[in-house]
Amino acid sequence: MTVSHAHSHLADAVPPQRVSFTLNGEPRALMVRPFRRLLDVLRTDLALPGTKEGCGEGECGACSVLIDGEPVNACLVPVIQCEGSTIVTVEGLADHAALHPVQAAFVQHGGAQCGICTPGMVVTAAWMVDRKLDASAIREKLSGNICRCTGYSAIVASVAAALGDAKAPASDADGADA
Amino acid sequence: MSSIAHSAVRVSRPTSLAEALDQLADAAVRDAPLRPLAGGTDIMVEANHGGLRQRDFLDLSGLKAALGGFTWAHDGSLRIGAMCTYATLLADARSHAELPILMQAAGLVGATQIQARGTFAGNVENGSPAADAAPALLALDAVVHLQSSRGERTVPLEAYYTGYRSTARRADELISALTVPKQPGPTREQFFRKVGTRAFQAITKVGLSARITWLDDAIADTRIVATSMAATICRARHLENALRGLTTLDQATVAGLRRAQDADLRPLDDVRSTAAYRAEVFHRLVCQAIRETRPS
């Protein structure tokens, strides 16, 4: 785990700058050091720990959030680049008590195991639902979200269900995942 | 020199191209150049792993109106703005129809999240010898547009790399766009193959981007671009010369191609692969490209 802010040399720190964006539907304005990772700002400054850190290098997708409707790795976004943008985290998907269809599908199909990859999987899948992608694209479009439990069959089945593909298998007999 | 912490990085975020170019020029005069920051998918990895050496960045995210997107010109060339992401161009049907190797390369950069953020220009400027999109651009004869407060100049991508991760860009210049000219032949003549541990989220062990122009049964002209085979992505000139006029892939011809390749490319052993594997696989990819691009 990378804890970048813990290594800050405060003597070298640059002054905070104002950054404004819309987060889960609410306008926010913060004073933050410009190069801090969006991931840290979300988890630490904004108390939204749903977005997880896995690899810290844009490979695992655990920190996926939507910026202007596109899934991105929050560990690779310096917060200043969020100026004027619209951000949705996993906390912003549900409509109050009503789960997002992707969340409901993950519950119904057992799409979560240890849970670390789940928020990122759900965020990327929500983008797929929004784009009305075909279920045949699931494995390729989810290839930037890695499940260390290798629970891909149930994840793919959950996403397929959310995409409305009733034909999707509940699991792969051979367990082979892309 | 130790790495620089995120909290110590200074970032300027201009909202007009003129402002950006003025800031680059001022910083260059002070001999404290600003490093342009586009999608951040390479620079943030450096920063997160303690490899950052620069402290001053010019963030281009406020210039998406000026530098984003792409345009097809009347002459059939494609101009890719400096802030055009892989995802943006991947949504363009004409790019798939005319520049399939560029689309194959873009579709294999990282995965969905990286493609939403990463830019073609950033991939070119980053200068990795294992780049995905830059080799395809080189095989397609792309040119780099460099803008500064003094004006614009154009450098062929072929002449852009001056050494390992070093480019022809001057400290006061910014890549404003890349242009891919209209291609001379059918798309069948384009070939791209990335060999890595797996398709997505993997860095290239060895790769070939090629354009092989056939005249009847003989090769008339080629662009043979090697990835992860030298300090920069590069064209293999001896190999290109050896291919000109080639009609068949008999044993003697194949051996000659390998000798020409070895004159051009001396790959290294490193964490991702070995020199011997790279050389052998690259050779086989060249033979595959010849077979697959040949008119039927």
Side-chain angles (χ1 to χ4, degrees):
Chain A
M1 181 168 136
T2 310
V3 188
S4 58
H5 49 272
H7 299 296
S8 312
H9 305 293
L10 286 178
D12 290 343
V14 299
Q17 289 171 234
R18 186 188 157 92
V19 177
S20 308
F21 47 79
T22 301
L23 176 63
N24 296 333
E26 300 284 333
R28 306 299 288 256
L30 308 172
M31 293 299 290
V32 282
R33 297 198 171 91
F35 205 69
R36 286 184 64 213
R37 306 182 305 170
L38 173 62
L39 172 64
D40 299 320
V41 173
L42 289 171
R43 289 179 57 86
T44 308
D45 300 27
L46 297 167
L48 291 173
T51 304
K52 305 302 182 195
E53 173 156 23
C55 66
E57 59 182 24
E59 183 159 357
C60 76
C63 66
S64 297
V65 300
L66 301 178
I67 297 186
D68 296 331
E70 299 278 342
V72 308
N73 296 307
C75 74
L76 299 186
V77 178
V79 66
I80 192 170
Q81 291 198 324
C82 298
E83 175 61 34
S85 62
T86 297
I87 303 169
V88 176
T89 69
V90 69
E91 290 92 343
L93 291 178
D95 184 7
H96 300 288
L99 293 181
H100 186 280
V102 168
Q103 293 170 316
F106 269 67
V107 171
Q108 191 185 344
H109 292 268
Q113 287 191 45
C114 86
I116 284 286
C117 76
T118 310
M121 291 281 181
V122 167
V123 165
T124 306
W127 166 77
M128 294 178 64
V129 169
D130 186 54
R131 291 292 174 94
K132 299 183 170 61
L133 296 184
D134 190 84
S136 63
I138 293 173
R139 285 167 188 269
E140 181 179 327
K141 298 302 181 191
L142 271 186
S143 61
N145 291 84
I146 295 175
C147 169
R148 61 145 286 173
C149 308
T150 70
Y152 293 105
S153 296
I155 291 168
V156 170
S158 303
V159 180
L163 287 170
D165 185 352
K167 298 185 301 297
S171 67
D172 284 353
D174 60 3
D177 283 306
Chain B
M1 184 178 166
S2 67
S3 75
I4 291 168
H6 294 69
S7 61
V9 173
R10 288 183 288 248
V11 188
S12 153
R13 187 178 184 275
T15 51
S16 78
L17 184 55
E19 192 187 348
L21 298 177
D22 281 348
Q23 291 181 8
L24 277 172
D26 286 349
V29 167
R30 287 185 282 106
D31 204 23
L34 298 172
R35 184 176 177 192
L37 170 67
T41 53
D42 288 307
I43 287 172
M44 291 303 284
V45 175
E46 280 175 43
N48 293 352
H49 286 268
L52 206 60
R53 296 288 176 270
Q54 295 83 358
R55 200 177 169 192
D56 295 285
F57 285 84
L58 182 79
D59 173 34
L60 306 179
S61 69
L63 302 178
K64 284 176 191 156
L67 299 178
F70 60 89
T71 48
W72 287 93
H74 291 302
D75 65 2
S77 65
L78 171 66
R79 186 179 169 99
I80 304 171
M83 286 301 283
C84 178
T85 63
Y86 302 114
T88 299
L89 200 62
L90 281 165
D92 178 45
R94 185 170 171 185
S95 294
H96 286 274
E98 295 190 24
L99 306 170
I101 62 172
L102 185 59
M103 293 296 91
Q104 288 164 41
L108 289 172
V109 177
T112 308
Q113 291 86 341
I114 301 291
Q115 290 166 19
R117 207 78 191 156
T119 63
F120 292 90
N123 192 247
V124 165
E125 185 59 28
N126 187 50
S128 167
D132 289 314
L137 289 165
L138 180 51
L140 298 169
D141 284 343
V143 299
V144 181
H145 300 273
L146 290 165
Q147 204 150 1
S148 73
S149 51
R150 294 171 289 133
E152 186 186 302
R153 68 182 177 118
T154 298
V155 179
L157 185 51
E158 192 190 329
Y160 196 62
Y161 296 109
T162 54
Y164 178 68
R165 289 188 180 259
S166 123
T167 73
R169 186 179 69 84
R170 297 173 188 141
D172 67 340
E173 288 177 324
L174 187 66
I175 295 182
S176 54
L178 307 164
T179 293
V180 185
K182 182 174 172 56
Q183 297 303 301
T187 54
R188 190 201 70 247
E189 295 182 341
Q190 299 177 27
F191 179 91
F192 176 85
R193 181 77 190 274
K194 165 181 177 171
V195 177
T197 304
R198 57 183 183 146
F200 297 99
Q201 302 291 51
I203 295 173
T204 305
K205 294 173 192 280
V206 48
L208 170 64
S209 300
R211 190 180 73 197
I212 302 181
T213 309
W214 293 80
L215 196 59
D216 300 323
D217 287 338
I219 292 177
D221 193 21
T222 61
R223 301 286 183 272
I224 300 293
V225 178
T227 303
S228 287
M229 290 287 285
T232 68
I233 60 162
C234 62
R235 283 176 59 180
R237 297 291 184 163
H238 290 90
L239 189 50
E240 291 183 357
N241 289 335
L243 285 165
R244 203 163 294 118
L246 181 144
T247 52
T248 56
L249 270 182
D250 57 45
Q251 225 171 4
T253 310
V254 169
L257 292 180
R258 179 58 196 264
R259 281 194 301 276
Q261 173 189 318
D262 290 342
D264 286 318
L265 302 166
R266 294 275 173 197
L268 298 178
D269 290 327
D270 68 11
V271 291
R272 276 184 216 110
S273 189
T274 64
Y277 177 85
R278 288 178 157 129
E280 179 61 24
V281 171
F282 187 80
H283 172 64
R284 292 184 190 202
L285 291 179
V286 170
C287 295
Q288 185 187 352
I290 293 165
R291 286 191 298 270
E292 290 190 7
T293 59
R294 181 195 292 278
S296 45

